[in-house]
Amino acid sequence: MLPAGEPKFRRRKADRPGEIVEAAMQVFAEKGFAAARLDDIAARAGVSKGGLYLYFDTKDDIFRAVVEQAIAPNVQLARAMLAAHPGPFPDLIRALAAHVGGVIQTTSIGGVAKMVIGEARNFPELARIWHDRLVGPMLDTLAGVIAAAQARGEVRPGDPRAYALQLVAPLLVGVIWRETFAPVGAPAFDLPALIAQHVDTYLGGIAP
Amino acid sequence: MLPAGEPKFRRRKADRPGEIVEAAMQVFAEKGFAAARLDDIAARAGVSKGGLYLYFDTKDDIFRAVVEQAIAPNVQLARAMLAAHPGPFPDLIRALAAHVGGVIQTTSIGGVAKMVIGEARNFPELARIWHDRLVGPMLDTLAGVIAAAQARGEVRPGDPRAYALQLVAPLLVGVIWRETFAPVGAPAFDLPALIAQHVDTYLGGIAP
DNA sequence: CGTAAATAACTGACCGGTCAGTTATTAGGA
DNA sequence: TCCTAATAACTGACCGGTCAGTTATTTACG
């Protein structure tokens, strides 16, 4: 039983937090907060359970870090897109839909969203972070864009916040479907096709 | 220490299961499946924990009973409505929206739905039941109605299932919002107003 | 070497499920 | 009608397993 060449572990203080958060995001997205075991997270991150506590104080703390990491880049991107786009309203919506459609299909943000929805009641602070940092600003920005379009006569009268929610809802439900019902044998939706059709009818219905 | 007038408990074999399921529905809707303690359910049902096991074998079993009880009546109603309604497509959609809006606001079905979404990965059978008995048939029926309307030239071409999902999505997201973000201080949506506006734009967008 | 990073064995609280005993209720005999 | 025996609904203390968090110890590395 000689430990021979390979050392038992490496000291990599700088890289650990990121690796742990990445592993935790996967496990949380799979199991939800309560059912995620710290042993699982540690194993997937290539660390012992005790090692987690060198970088985070509690399980909640890890959850917070995951949400922050999952949130920040995407909020940034969508915000920038809405702010930068100059064209007429339909073009803006189509560009946004294309971007969001890509994000939805390439990241595990769907699983994280499902996790937030599912655990909101037991961990209200998580719902608060998710809302204050992601959903709230996004909806406000979108509502602002819609209100501006209304002022220019490009969109019919009505509550801009509600219009914003109407736009986003089918995407969210599509993701929920994929995460919830498709795994148990329900027929899947073709997300890009669904989005395309939705944008068409949405723009048709919202025009004056 | 005389036990005097009030007896310690009553024997009410007939009423217990219903009371337990009702209590369990509340606790599950509040906490989700995993976080719901049998002690809580028992206390709310006015029974001891052991008493639960006189009527149900496992926690899963109670969950199943709750889902069945929450599902059956509503599926029945919505199905009947779709089958019975003769009028033109827009009228049918408006009637359906009004009905569903009422159900959403008077029952705890929203909480149960959130629970199913949140726990689907850890308890796939629940997602299966929810889909096979409620969501699936509902979506199929709706898609059938839409396809029929397309055949009559009342609805523009496109995937009927996707159109059905587009119709339902804002309602679902509205409920999720109410259950998830409103409790942590997010501005609430006026559900009836949201539904009304959505039906208008939906019908406008889906017309040929 | 010294010390900080990392491990692995450990603790204690919690919770689903069990079961021996308790109590309300019913049935039957005087 | 009253009393007693039999029954089954119900209770609550308990057990075993799980898991978040702690700590004593080992190991890598400047």
Side-chain angles (χ1 to χ4, degrees):
Chain A
M1 271 302 189
L2 291 178
E6 285 303 279
K8 207 164 164 185
F9 58 84
R10 301 282 169 140
R11 313 176 88 185
R12 290 167 47 243
K13 186 185 169 104
D15 298 335
R16 296 297 193 202
E19 296 174 2
I20 292 170
V21 168
E22 176 59 32
M25 173 146 59
Q26 294 173 17
V27 178
F28 283 144
E30 277 175 28
K31 313 253 199 209
F33 180 78
R37 278 166 298 170
L38 290 183
D39 282 315
D40 288 350
I41 296 173
R44 199 171 303 202
V47 184
S48 69
K49 186 167 69 164
L52 300 179
Y53 285 88
L54 297 172
Y55 303 100
F56 301 94
D57 288 343
T58 64
K59 192 183 184 184
D60 294 40
D61 221 43
I62 299 177
F63 200 132
R64 262 184 283 277
V66 167
V67 174
E68 288 290 339
Q69 172 158 313
I71 284 176
N74 295 293
V75 134
Q76 211 64 11
L77 268 170
R79 271 279 187 77
M81 161 158 294
L82 284 175
H85 202 289
F89 185 70
D91 295 354
L92 174 54
I93 295 300
R94 287 184 199 281
L96 180 68
H99 170 68
V100 173
V103 170
I104 278 175
Q105 277 190 317
T106 55
T107 72
S108 62
I109 197 171
V112 179
K114 209 187 64 165
M115 154 183 88
V116 171
I117 293 169
E119 314 269 0
R121 185 97 52 166
N122 300 320
F123 303 93
E125 201 190 334
L126 272 300
R128 191 172 294 118
I129 293 176
W130 190 259
H131 171 263
D132 293 352
R133 299 284 309 272
L134 180 66
V135 178
M138 200 61 209
L139 212 63
D140 287 346
T141 308
L142 210 49
V145 170
I146 290 171
Q150 284 176 322
R152 294 196 306 272
E154 288 184 287
V155 168
R156 72 161 68 173
D159 177 14
R161 275 176 60 82
Y163 280 139
L165 185 135
Q166 286 174 245
L167 174 62
V168 174
L171 311 194
L172 181 56
V173 173
V175 171
I176 289 175
W177 187 277
R178 185 187 65 189
E179 302 281 334
T180 304
F181 299 121
V184 296
F189 280 92
D190 178 359
L191 271 182
L194 171 66
I195 293 176
Q197 176 168 315
H198 168 57
V199 168
D200 283 345
T201 57
Y202 179 79
L203 288 174
I206 205 177
Chain B
M1 271 305 185
L2 293 178
E6 286 303 278
K8 203 166 169 183
F9 59 85
R10 299 281 168 146
R11 309 174 76 179
R12 291 167 46 243
K13 185 186 171 96
D15 298 334
R16 296 297 192 200
E19 295 174 2
I20 291 171
V21 168
E22 176 60 31
M25 173 147 56
Q26 295 173 17
V27 177
F28 283 143
E30 278 176 27
K31 312 256 200 210
F33 180 78
R37 279 167 299 170
L38 290 182
D39 281 315
D40 288 350
I41 295 173
R44 200 173 301 204
V47 185
S48 69
K49 185 164 68 163
L52 300 179
Y53 285 88
L54 298 172
Y55 303 101
F56 302 94
D57 287 343
T58 62
K59 194 184 184 183
D60 294 42
D61 221 44
I62 299 177
F63 200 130
R64 263 183 280 278
V66 166
V67 174
E68 289 289 339
Q69 172 158 313
I71 283 175
N74 295 295
V75 136
Q76 211 63 11
L77 267 169
R79 272 279 185 76
M81 163 158 294
L82 284 176
H85 201 289
F89 184 71
D91 296 353
L92 174 53
I93 295 300
R94 287 182 198 284
L96 181 67
H99 170 68
V100 174
V103 170
I104 279 176
Q105 279 190 315
T106 55
T107 72
S108 62
I109 197 170
V112 179
K114 209 188 63 165
M115 154 182 90
V116 171
I117 292 170
E119 313 270 1
R121 184 97 50 167
N122 300 319
F123 304 93
E125 201 191 333
L126 272 299
R128 190 171 294 119
I129 293 175
W130 190 259
H131 172 264
D132 293 352
R133 298 284 308 272
L134 178 68
V135 178
M138 200 59 211
L139 211 63
D140 288 346
T141 307
L142 209 48
V145 170
I146 290 171
Q150 284 177 321
R152 294 195 307 271
E154 289 185 285
V155 169
R156 73 160 68 174
D159 177 13
R161 274 175 61 83
Y163 280 139
L165 185 135
Q166 287 175 245
L167 173 61
V168 175
L171 311 195
L172 182 56
V173 174
V175 171
I176 290 175
W177 187 276
R178 184 186 66 189
E179 303 281 333
T180 304
F181 299 121
V184 296
F189 281 92
D190 178 359
L191 271 181
L194 171 65
I195 293 175
Q197 176 168 314
H198 168 57
V199 169
D200 282 345
T201 58
Y202 179 79
L203 289 174
I206 204 178

